Amino acid sequence: MYTFNPGPSQVYPELRGYLQDAFDEGWLSAPHRGERFTGLMRQTVADLKTKLNIPQDYTVFFLSSATECWEVLAQSLTPNKSFHLYSGAFGEKWFEYAKALRPNSTALQFGIDELPEVYTLPLPDDSVDLVCITQNETSNATQLRDGFILNLYNRLGNALLAVDATSSLGGIQLKYIKADIWYGSVQKCFGMPAGLGIMVLSPRAVARFRQINERSHYNSLVAQYEKMLNYQTTHTPNVLGIYLLSRVLTDREPIKAVHQHLLDRATKLYDYFDQATQLTPLVTNPETRSTTVIGLQGPPALIDEVKRRAKEQGLQLGNGYGNWKANSLRIANFPAIPDAAYEQLVQFFAREFA
């Protein structure tokens, strides 16, 4: 069974061997304050920066999930309020989390085929601490590209730019210097099981949370930073997840090659479905289409029939989400899914739903 579910998604087949090695090498009971673990953390951070082209002066944190990142950012980097720009369910949920902790936070929603014009956006006043965007919106298969992020960053002044890259981190070549905060989870483009989040902060963001100095929570960024100086965490970490991430990074190509491979596959899939008559791309504007999550739309009865018949052929397609749940399905384009799976998928559609 190939799974195209956009998360938790297909894992690398090599994980079976990595898990056995983790057991045999004693990582499942390794002390997280010992030199062996801190050595693993140091190497994993170094490999992340090398393989993903993360600037050397950016700081990496390991959390439990991207959802925890929402809470941490509200706690430690938002003394006043945040402003959220979103088109889909996960951007909206981030806003709801932030508003629960910082009630003055505000948001602006835009359409899935719309690329907001940065220079006419009603950006908030200087009391805003964070401007928050979702680079790749998993729920509706949209994406904000480098040019938009750069132009937005250049308009912000004192506010920090925070980017949810959950469905693109590890799959797309991101321009980290164009934002202050990037985060994601490993159960998508890293081809791993869920349970580990990654947050990357610029020197400006580090200076800001040190100035704010919020220390009321176990996962406050100041406390995490002080521990991370010695490659430790404020809590017992997901040692297995960090070990698996280290192994995945060692065996993967650099992000430039991964990005090009996913872009080529996405182009072929969009080209095929642009010519289809039954299921068509959910996002009609090529400029806002995601590279890593392809959304297809059709009548609800047809969507159900496609998913059922695909599963009979060993192909598990992702359900629609939120407002698009009934009339769409999603296809993950993540590195761990082999090319053979996409060839089989296209053959299935050509044979069954041409």
Side-chain angles (χ1 to χ4, degrees):
M1 175 73 72
Y2 289 125
T3 177
F4 297 92
N5 189 44
S9 61
Q10 178 123 351
V11 300
Y12 283 110
E14 292 84 358
L15 252 70
R16 177 181 294 194
Y18 300 161
L19 288 165
Q20 186 66 55
D21 290 344
F23 183 89
D24 293 342
E25 295 168 13
W27 284 107
L28 303 188
S29 53
H32 65 283
R33 301 297 182 203
E35 292 183 7
R36 190 179 183 217
F37 174 72
T38 58
L40 173 67
M41 283 274 279
R42 183 182 294 108
Q43 187 61 53
T44 305
V45 170
D47 289 344
L48 263 174
K49 290 183 175 182
T50 298
K51 288 293 179 77
L52 270 59
N53 284 342
I54 297 172
Q56 290 300 313
D57 59 350
Y58 277 46
T59 301
V60 174
F61 296 105
F62 293 113
L63 298 94
S64 65
S65 65
T67 304
E68 185 183 5
C69 295
W70 294 344
E71 186 166 88
V72 168
L73 292 174
Q75 292 168 178
S76 294
L77 273 170
T78 316
N80 298 307
K81 59 184 178 181
S82 53
F83 172 71
H84 299 252
L85 188 64
Y86 68 86
S87 70
F90 290 102
E92 184 175 17
K93 286 184 177 182
W94 185 5
F95 169 55
E96 290 170 350
Y97 266 69
K99 194 171 179 62
L101 292 176
R102 301 292 183 263
N104 291 328
S105 295
T106 58
L108 178 66
Q109 185 175 7
F110 59 96
I112 63 173
D113 290 306
E114 178 185 358
L115 187 62
E117 175 52 64
V118 171
Y119 298 104
T120 61
L121 279 175
L123 292 181
D125 57 37
D126 290 341
S127 64
V128 169
D129 306 297
L130 282 183
V131 172
C132 305
I133 61 173
T134 303
Q135 189 273 336
N136 197 96
E137 176 54 72
T138 318
S139 70
N140 59 24
T142 58
Q143 180 174 304
L144 294 173
R145 287 173 166 73
D146 292 338
F148 176 87
I149 296 173
L150 169 62
N151 291 335
L152 181 60
Y153 183 67
N154 288 339
R155 274 204 67 193
L156 294 190
N158 187 59
L160 300 177
L161 181 58
V163 183
D164 182 337
T166 299
S167 291
S168 52
L169 187 69
I172 298 299
Q173 189 167 11
L174 301 167
K175 301 285 177 46
Y176 294 96
I177 62 171
K178 304 308 179 186
D180 299 290
I181 300 137
W182 301 82
Y183 65 84
S185 302
V186 298
Q187 73 271 18
K188 297 178 185 285
C189 286
F190 289 98
M192 292 172 51
L196 184 66
I198 301 169
M199 183 186 286
V200 180
L201 272 70
S202 71
R204 191 167 81 123
V206 171
R208 185 70 56 84
F209 72 64
R210 294 183 71 187
Q211 177 187 20
I212 295 170
N213 199 33
E214 184 275 314
R215 294 177 179 269
S216 300
H217 306 87
Y218 86 93
N219 55 5
S220 296
L221 281 175
V222 173
Q224 290 197 63
Y225 177 75
E226 290 171 352
K227 285 294 185 183
M228 200 61 183
L229 291 174
N230 295 313
Y231 294 96
Q232 294 188 2
T233 57
T234 58
H235 53 283
T236 304
N238 183 348
V239 177
L240 176 59
I242 294 169
Y243 172 82
L244 294 176
L245 177 60
S246 176
R247 294 292 301 272
V248 165
L249 290 169
T250 298
D251 290 346
R252 277 190 22 161
E253 294 181 298
I255 192 63
K256 182 177 181 180
V258 174
H259 178 121
Q260 189 60 52
H261 186 205
L262 297 190
L263 184 60
D264 291 343
R265 283 203 313 212
T267 300
K268 291 178 181 177
L269 286 170
Y270 281 122
D271 285 347
Y272 175 82
F273 287 110
D274 275 335
Q275 304 302 317
T277 57
Q278 296 194 56
L279 288 176
T280 57
L282 176 63
V283 182
T284 60
N285 183 358
E287 291 301 311
T288 63
R289 286 175 175 172
S290 168
T291 301
T292 54
V293 181
I294 286 82
L296 301 177
Q297 63 179 335
L302 176 61
I303 293 292
D304 290 341
E305 179 71 6
V306 169
K307 289 188 294 185
R308 182 187 65 79
R309 287 163 66 175
K311 194 169 185 179
E312 292 173 353
Q313 301 294 318
L315 304 168
Q316 183 180 11
L317 303 178
N319 295 325
Y321 196 93
N323 294 335
W324 302 272
K325 184 176 179 60
N327 68 334
S328 73
L329 58 84
R330 295 173 296 163
I331 299 171
N333 181 27
F334 296 158
I337 307 172
D339 289 341
Y342 293 95
E343 293 171 7
Q344 186 176 332
L345 180 70
V346 171
Q347 290 172 6
F348 162 75
F349 277 107
R351 183 177 62 249
E352 305 279 346
F353 295 97

